[in-house]
Amino acid sequence: VLIALSKKEGEADLNIKGKMNEIFSNPTKYPLFTGMEDNLQFQYNNINKYPSNPDNLGFDATRYNMSATYLNNLVTINDPRVFIVAEPATKQLKNGKTPANITAYVGAPSGEDLADMSSKMSTVDDADYSLRSRSRYYSSYAPEPGVLIGYAEMCFNIAEGINRGWITSGDAEEWYMKGIKASLGFYGIPVDAAGSVSKTYEGINYVIPFDFSGSYYPQAAVKYKGNNADGLTQILTQKYF
């Protein structure tokens, strides 16, 4: 709530800065989440089904293509969440790429005319854009929980509070990294040591190596740029992801 009021930070009666600093500085009175296991979340099952599930795989209206704002920005930073949440665009596969090639995943521009977008997706084996992952979202009635209040978002909120100067102690980069690792971990991606991500497509399993500390985080677009406007943009971008 305090983060959502960021444009009112100068309102004395709201005391946004003071309240956020008090919460962070007094864990006895205001205990914080310590991990994803503390999430307030809704667990789906075969009675209360996840919206995308085996029952509606065949209906095009429930199997949307991916958005460029989300997917293409993940592709730019070689983010393995791409392999988990999406399928490669079949046009890219037709042109010789494999499902293990992150550039085979393409999102649609949000401002594109729907008729044009539809025509680009009309041919199954020559579609321009990526669809949501069948193996993740349509093979189970409970592919993931619905997070209402989550540890990852809390970490990014704290990082933002430190970046903005609302919190007078703590390390914004530490909380920023915790947030990224928590989000990656939500998708089963290894973050504490070098490992791999598995992508199954059309019955074939692809293993993609991933090293958070060695190659992912050191990227200029990912590594925290400091308590400034660029650093704030990074925090907000990763929170969006």
Side-chain angles (χ1 to χ4, degrees):
V1 171
L2 294 171
I3 284 293
L5 290 167
S6 62
K7 290 188 177 181
K8 299 293 184 180
E9 64 177 298
E11 298 285 343
D13 57 331
L14 293 176
N15 189 25
I16 294 168
K17 298 179 184 179
K19 287 178 180 176
M20 192 163 192
N21 191 56
E22 181 185 4
I23 291 170
F24 183 75
S25 303
N26 192 347
T28 301
K29 185 176 181 180
Y30 302 105
L32 301 174
F33 285 179
T34 59
M36 295 290 276
E37 65 277 1
D38 290 332
N39 285 357
L40 173 62
Q41 60 189 29
F42 180 82
Q43 196 70 50
Y44 294 94
N45 54 41
N46 62 350
I47 303 298
N48 297 303
K49 303 172 183 178
Y50 192 82
S52 303
N53 61 64
D55 291 348
N56 55 34
L57 173 59
F59 296 93
D60 290 342
T62 61
R63 187 131 189 270
Y64 303 110
N65 53 269
M66 303 294 291
S67 161
T69 309
Y70 176 69
L71 194 65
N72 294 3
N73 280 301
L74 285 174
V75 168
T76 299
I77 57 172
N78 296 297
D79 195 298
R81 283 172 283 199
V82 167
F83 300 110
I84 307 299
V85 302
E87 292 183 359
T90 53
K91 175 173 282 188
Q92 298 294 319
L93 299 182
K94 188 176 180 179
N95 291 336
K97 295 180 182 179
T98 74
N101 185 334
I102 201 166
T103 64
Y105 297 77
V106 182
S110 58
E112 185 171 20
D113 182 272
L114 291 180
D116 292 340
M117 189 183 299
S118 179
S119 69
K120 293 177 182 179
M121 297 298 290
S122 60
T123 306
V124 174
D125 63 351
D126 195 26
D128 282 54
Y129 304 127
S130 295
L131 296 171
R132 279 191 287 189
S133 171
R134 280 176 290 178
S135 60
R136 182 172 181 84
Y137 298 109
Y138 295 94
S139 61
S140 166
Y141 291 110
E144 60 187 36
V147 179
L148 304 175
I149 301 176
Y151 172 72
E153 184 175 4
M154 183 202 76
C155 291
F156 290 123
N157 287 345
I158 291 173
E160 181 177 347
I162 298 171
N163 177 287
R164 291 181 181 277
W166 296 1
I167 296 174
T168 56
S169 62
D171 184 341
E173 182 174 22
E174 177 187 354
W175 287 99
Y176 168 70
M177 289 179 67
K178 284 181 178 180
I180 298 174
K181 287 184 174 182
S183 180
L184 292 171
F186 179 80
Y187 294 101
I189 299 168
V191 293
D192 294 325
S196 62
V197 174
S198 178
K199 175 66 179 179
T200 301
Y201 183 77
E202 300 295 350
I204 301 175
N205 187 62
Y206 301 84
V207 178
I208 302 103
F210 177 68
D211 186 347
F212 179 87
S213 299
S215 58
Y216 178 77
Y217 189 75
Q219 296 179 95
V222 180
K223 186 174 176 58
Y224 190 59
K225 298 182 185 296
N227 295 341
N228 49 46
D230 289 338
L232 180 58
T233 297
Q234 289 178 299
I235 294 168
L236 297 177
T237 299
Q238 285 288 345
K239 183 162 71 166
Y240 166 71
F241 291 152

